[in-house]
Amino acid sequence: MIKKALRRVVTWWLCRLTKIDRRKLLFMDYYGSHYGDSPRAISDKISELSTDSKIVWAFTHPDNHKINGKKIRVGSLAYCYHLYTCRAIVTNYRMPIDFKKRKSQIYVQTWHSALRLKMIERDAMNRLKFQYIEMAIGDSRQIDFLLSGCERSTEIFKRAFWLDDNEKILSLGCPRTDITLTTSDDFKVGIRQRIGLDPKQKIALYAPTFRNYGGSILDKFPFEEVSKSLGEEWQLLLRLHPHEQARTILRTGIIDVTHYDDVTELLVIADLLITDYSALMFDFMLTRRPLFLFIPDLDDYLNYERGIYFDIPQLPVMICRNESELTQRLRHIDSEWARQRAALDKFLNEMDFYNLGHSSEAVAKFLIDQL
């Protein structure tokens, strides 16, 4: 054990002394658990625009992912080497607490949404653990560029990430939202085929977030009743948050797509979304398709979680506080959603999203210029 730790320390220092490859970029999605989100959208676009760029992806389980580029395992010696010899690091979550960026490296933080409901970082200091806050402050100091999806996010990020330099905010949009707006029918068919879905079936996606205060919303979600309310022409998919992805869900007629790499591709094929406090709601709003919030635990959530940035009743969504409200509205999707469309258009205009449909290209070109 001691030899292994010593070898890691020696390797760490040797890697930091090795010359940086100015054409190399290292990407990670949620600590290496997935291959998706904005890091994937950016890496795909860089591969398309710059043939001499070197793309490296870090995963906890590399064999589980098929990618365009080199794969390495998080924590390995190869990971250490590429982490400290790449020109740019692109991730959507915090870097490990022992990460210390080299002076000539660029650290790009995409975060994991165009807009948020749950409070984050500095705004939620009274509800987050001290160890996390300490790590987050140190990580924020190393960030060179932080992507913002819209004007409201820019306001939040400047404060929540302890940023005193406005030039660190890149108002180029949220790359992961691009495919929800510009995807071809053939691409949608490909996603359906990978999951094993009937090409003619309508898709309802249930994607709840996690709870820190204990319990799981899955125990309260009426899977069978929702399926019956939707009817036989619909297929219900379940996508758990990464914090809950170890749970095994066995429900007749439900397809668990928790381990599907890119959640954004699931939004692409979804004809409606049921969520709760997840930031996925804002990505899905851009599609203008029916959006439901199933929040039977709202009082507990407000009392015990981090706090929220928006007054939920003011959001342009269909709010369901119990099983009856959810199933009733699902039986009348078209008429129920028609009442929300004007409010949705007004909300999206007020948020002022950046570069809708073209964020990946804007960010890719920016990074290529930095290499």
Side-chain angles (χ1 to χ4, degrees):
M1 195 71 177
I2 296 176
K3 288 183 178 180
K4 184 176 180 181
L6 180 62
R7 185 178 66 174
R8 183 182 176 88
V9 171
V10 171
T11 302
W12 186 81
W13 278 107
L14 288 175
C15 291
R16 289 182 63 85
L17 295 173
T18 304
K19 184 178 179 180
I20 286 176
D21 185 340
R22 296 187 63 85
R23 307 306 302 171
K24 183 165 65 179
L25 304 96
L26 177 69
F27 292 86
M28 279 194 292
D29 175 8
Y30 213 89
Y31 288 125
S33 62
H34 287 84
Y35 174 50
D37 211 273
S38 289
R40 179 177 180 178
I42 296 168
S43 72
D44 285 349
K45 186 58 69 171
I46 289 178
S47 295
E48 177 186 324
L49 298 176
S50 176
T51 55
D52 62 340
S53 294
K54 301 175 183 177
I55 303 295
V56 180
W57 270 84
F59 297 110
T60 52
H61 300 287
D63 292 341
N64 294 346
H65 310 276
K66 295 181 179 180
I67 76 164
N68 294 320
K70 184 179 180 61
K71 296 186 294 184
I72 56 174
R73 183 174 56 81
V74 172
S76 66
L77 297 182
Y79 169 75
C80 182
Y81 171 75
H82 289 291
L83 177 63
Y84 288 109
T85 59
C86 67
R87 167 61 169 157
I89 301 156
V90 183
T91 183
N92 62 351
Y93 213 72
R94 294 295 188 180
M95 293 294 292
I97 195 167
D98 59 349
F99 170 68
K100 297 294 183 289
K101 185 190 67 171
R102 297 175 70 177
K103 288 184 179 180
S104 55
Q105 288 184 307
I106 301 169
Y107 174 18
V108 181
Q109 175 59 253
T110 72
W111 210 235
H112 37 278
S113 61
L115 189 57
R116 304 199 60 75
L117 179 67
K118 294 179 288 187
M119 287 185 177
I120 57 172
E121 317 307 82
R122 188 177 185 177
D123 291 344
M125 284 183 67
N126 62 328
R127 297 289 180 91
L128 294 171
K129 293 180 179 179
F130 173 77
Q131 293 88 342
Y132 178 85
I133 291 297
E134 186 177 37
M135 177 270 294
I137 292 173
D139 189 62
S140 287
R141 288 173 179 161
Q142 298 192 82
I143 293 174
D144 293 292
F145 302 106
L146 173 62
L147 285 188
S148 175
C150 66
E151 189 61 32
R152 182 65 182 273
S153 282
T154 295
E155 297 172 8
I156 292 172
F157 285 164
K158 285 180 181 178
R159 179 181 64 249
F161 278 77
W162 298 273
L163 296 180
D164 53 8
D165 184 356
N166 290 343
E167 292 184 359
K168 287 189 173 184
I169 298 285
L170 282 184
S171 301
L172 298 178
C174 183
R176 81 176 192 178
T177 64
D178 286 354
I179 65 170
T180 61
L181 301 171
T182 60
T183 301
S184 67
D185 289 339
D186 288 342
F187 187 76
K188 294 179 182 179
V189 170
I191 299 172
R192 285 172 170 267
Q193 288 177 341
R194 286 192 288 275
I195 299 172
L197 297 171
D198 186 321
K200 295 182 179 179
Q201 243 178 341
K202 293 182 179 179
I203 303 300
L205 174 64
Y206 177 45
T209 190
F210 68 98
R211 273 91 172 136
N212 278 320
Y213 62 84
S216 172
I217 193 61
L218 297 178
D219 300 326
K220 299 179 181 180
F221 189 78
F223 286 96
E224 292 184 9
E225 290 75 9
V226 165
S227 294
K228 290 178 182 177
S229 297
L230 288 170
E232 293 183 357
E233 68 271 26
W234 288 82
Q235 173 63 57
L236 180 59
L237 309 182
L238 170 66
R239 170 74 175 207
L240 297 179
H241 188 276
H243 287 339
E244 285 200 313
Q245 64 182 352
R247 289 175 64 96
T248 300
I249 308 300
L250 298 175
R251 294 287 194 283
T252 302
I254 312 302
I255 298 178
D256 188 348
V257 290
T258 297
H259 295 288
Y260 189 88
D261 252 340
D262 196 348
V263 67
T264 310
E265 291 189 356
L266 301 177
L267 298 183
V268 166
I269 63 171
D271 295 289
L272 70 83
L273 172 67
I274 305 171
T275 186
D276 42 29
Y277 316 104
S278 171
L280 285 178
M281 73 173 77
F282 299 110
D283 291 17
F284 199 71
M285 283 181 188
L286 299 174
T287 71
R288 290 176 165 77
R289 298 175 201 147
L291 174 57
F292 298 77
L293 300 191
F294 179 63
I295 48 176
D297 63 339
L298 177 60
D299 294 336
D300 286 340
Y301 196 88
L302 294 177
N303 286 331
Y304 301 117
E305 283 290 337
R306 309 177 191 174
I308 57 178
Y309 288 115
F310 294 93
D311 183 12
I312 286 182
Q314 303 303 314
L315 292 172
V317 299
M318 289 178 277
I319 298 169
C320 307
R321 293 295 306 274
N322 53 54
E323 174 186 325
S324 177
E325 289 182 2
L326 177 60
T327 54
Q328 179 66 20
R329 286 180 168 162
L330 286 172
R331 292 190 190 102
H332 305 90
I333 295 172
D334 292 339
S335 59
E336 290 283 345
W337 186 237
R339 300 173 188 172
Q340 298 291 340
R341 287 174 183 162
L344 174 62
D345 290 339
K346 182 173 183 277
F347 180 85
L348 293 177
N349 287 333
E350 289 174 350
M351 292 305 102
D352 191 17
F353 286 85
Y354 306 134
N355 287 325
L356 286 180
H358 305 284
S359 299
S360 302
E361 182 175 359
V363 177
K365 286 181 177 179
F366 174 85
L367 280 176
I368 290 170
D369 287 343
Q370 301 294 316
L371 297 180

